[in-house]
Amino acid sequence: MSILIQNGRIITSVGEQNADLLVVDDKISAIGSNLEVKADITIDASGMLVMPGGVDPHVHLHLPTPAGYSADDFVSGSIAALMGGTTTIIDFVTPIRGQSIVDALKARIDEAVNALTDYTFHVSPVEWYKDMPKDIEHCIEMGFPSFKIYMAYKNSVGIDDTTLYHVMHTVAKNGGLVTAHCELGDDIETLRDFYVGQGLSTPKYHMLSRPPRFEALAVKRAIDLADQTQCPLYIVHVSAAESVKHIIQAQKSGQPLYAETCPQYLLLDESLYDKDIPTALKYVISPPLRSATDRETLWNAITNGNIQTVGTDHCPFNLEQKMVGKDDFRKVPNGAGGIEHRLSLLYTYGVLPGKLSPSKMVDVFATQPAKIFGLYPQKGELGIGSDADIVIWNPNAKGTISANNHHSKADINIYEGFETIGNAAFVIKNGTIALENGKFNTALPQGKLIKRRPARTTSHYYKRMDNPDSYNCGRT
Ligand code: URP
Ligand code: ZN
Ligand code: ZN
């Protein structure tokens, strides 16, 4: 099976060119001007952008919470991802206390088997136990070299600094990487209980009990522990300008440190917590939404290369689930959807106003997540031999985001009413057309479980750079 994409504008993380691209079976086999080949399918991509399929480094599908599972399972979540140009997702393995990370990983692999994107996992140690060093090594050998820890959520999955130290030390020894949700968990619990004790229990107090300072101090602590243990570190969903200061400082010193933000932190404002309760509940996410100054700092940090990736933290709930906490914000399941909208939001609100170049958009959307997490150049690249995961982007299509037309199963959307320009006209996944002019291919084969290489064989093996100014934030 072959597909010839003709006359498109090929965008990669390092540049742009007008060229044709040939897919043979599940790989990209040629890129060049006027390719003279006969293919089974020819797509005229005149006026369109041709980009690598997205890699979403931060996705929670079928996540159990006290308010029930998050709204998307691996089927609906991966369809929504593909509709928006994302072809690979990285979800999480979260053991219940007492369960080994290896057992949890095996169970999670079974749960994800019907995903239609390709998929892989970060593994979350939620406690320390005797065999943890051996189990971390085992997960890495199995092809899962990234580990996610939570400094928040102290009542469920959050760990203390001693455990974090041991996790980082062990992961580093085995060539892996730690990703961290950075918020001061104990301080948040104190403030939450304090507010509710005063009768202050509306969604706004979710935001007020998680100030930017708590994120920034946790970022600083995680950076220090990573430095002590020589562990490469990736900070997830950075939302606060104060956090960015610590990130820049550590990167300047040559520490291998990567950072992610999400469209919600680039585009939505903390004033949304002042809306009526059912509306404000939609925005109960952690970290919470911030100010215009924070947003501006995040956009600049992307431009300057201090934030390398934009993930979604896709974790949607239905309104009924959110309403569980209408009288007590502590009971609201944290999270919101967005897996489908990452590219259209980056294009509309990043590229079109000139905040991001098209290449930078590709970099944060696909190439850097692939590089940092050991998927490159199989994923995140339009190169000969790379997987044929391709988005053909119509830069003129207009749309309005709504729960009425999104592909997530959630009945609410935090971007409700957002106008977008550009959409995926075609999405090709492993050489098969997944989406063609708005129509999803219902015969699309299941996605593949992707096993990854340990960090020590990729760019971020811990090594302080002699000349910090040449530190390249993960570029290889
Ligand atoms: O509110 C959020 N972000 N929920 C998902 C879990 C997490 O913290 O990433
Ligand atoms: Zn988180
Ligand atoms: Zn998350």
Side-chain angles (χ1 to χ4, degrees), residues 71-72 276-285 314-324 332-341 401-417:
D72 279 320
D276 59 280
I277 287 192
T279 305
L281 283 168
K282 290 204 294 190
Y283 307 103
V284 173
I285 60 175
H314 181 81
C315 188
F317 293 93
N318 287 313
L319 184 58
E320 192 184 356
Q321 294 175 292
K322 290 282 192 185
M323 288 292 272
V324 166
V332 184
N334 283 204
I339 201 166
E340 185 171 352
H341 313 306
I401 296 178
S402 172
N404 297 324
N405 60 23
H406 70 196
H407 293 81
S408 163
K409 283 202 291 196
D411 59 5
I412 48 177
N413 190 312
I414 52 171
Y415 304 105
E416 187 71 36

Side-chain angles (χ1 to χ4, degrees), residues 58-60 92 148 150 153 181 236-237 286 313-315:
H58 192 157
V59 169
H60 305 270
F92 297 88
K148 162 82 176 287
Y150 296 87
Y153 308 136
H181 173 137
V236 302
H237 52 43
S286 294
D313 196 6
H314 181 81
C315 188

Side-chain angles (χ1 to χ4, degrees), residues 52-288:
V55 177
D56 193 333
H58 192 157
V59 169
H60 305 270
L61 299 176
H62 194 59
L63 179 82
T65 77
Y69 279 95
S70 59
D72 279 320
D73 55 25
F74 279 89
V75 176
S76 64
S78 59
I79 290 174
L82 287 162
M83 293 299 294
T86 289
T87 47
T88 301
I89 58 172
I90 314 185
D91 200 283
F92 297 88
V93 172
T94 314
I96 43 171
R97 287 190 202 274
Q99 185 184 31
S100 81
I101 54 170
V102 174
D103 287 349
L105 171 58
K106 289 178 182 161
R108 192 68 171 157
I109 289 172
D110 290 344
E111 281 181 340
V113 75
N114 291 322
L116 291 155
T117 51
D118 287 350
Y119 54 97
T120 180
F121 301 99
H122 307 292
V123 178
S124 278
V126 297
E127 63 190 336
W128 188 257
Y129 56 82
K130 190 168 77 38
D131 285 339
M132 183 61 90
K134 183 167 73 56
D135 283 0
I136 285 176
E137 202 178 332
H138 192 173
C139 289
I140 294 177
E141 279 165 10
M142 286 171 73
F144 304 92
S146 51
F147 295 83
K148 162 82 176 287
I149 62 86
Y150 296 87
M151 296 170 84
Y153 308 136
K154 279 291 176 62
N155 293 331
S156 53
V157 292
I159 59 173
D160 60 24
D161 287 4
T162 309
T163 304
L164 177 50
Y165 183 93
H166 290 308
V167 169
M168 283 180 165
H169 175 76
T170 311
V171 169
K173 216 168 83 184
N174 290 284
L177 171 144
V178 163
T179 81
H181 173 137
C182 296
E183 287 184 295
L184 292 182
D186 292 329
D187 298 58
I188 289 169
E189 294 308 324
T190 306
L191 213 43
R192 274 152 65 96
D193 294 345
F194 172 78
Y195 280 131
V196 175
Q198 308 271 311
L200 305 169
S201 57
T202 58
K204 183 167 187 166
Y205 291 92
H206 168 77
M207 181 264 284
L208 292 172
S209 61
R210 310 180 94 97
R213 170 63 50 95
F214 286 5
E215 178 185 303
L217 288 170
V219 163
K220 175 90 181 83
R221 182 78 182 128
I223 288 172
D224 284 348
L225 289 172
D227 197 22
Q228 283 178 50
T229 55
Q230 304 225 326
C231 184
L233 175 65
Y234 173 99
I235 299 173
V236 302
H237 52 43
V238 174
S239 69
E242 233 179 297
S243 304
V244 174
K245 280 191 204 150
H246 296 305
I247 290 165
I248 293 174
Q249 195 184 22
Q251 287 171 341
K252 276 199 174 143
S253 83
Q255 190 170 343
L257 172 65
Y258 308 89
E260 166 199 280
T261 191
C262 310
Q264 53 271 35
Y265 301 117
L266 292 166
L267 297 172
L268 302 178
D269 190 80
E270 62 194 359
S271 61
L272 288 160
Y273 297 110
D274 291 325
K275 299 251 179 208
D276 59 280
I277 287 192
T279 305
L281 283 168
K282 290 204 294 190
Y283 307 103
V284 173
I285 60 175
S286 294

Side-chain angles (χ1 to χ4, degrees), residues 344 347-348 352 393-400 419-425:
S344 62
Y347 186 72
T348 307
L352 292 182
W393 189 251
N394 175 355
N396 301 313
K398 292 199 164 78
T400 306
E419 307 282 340
T420 55
I421 298 178
N423 74 11

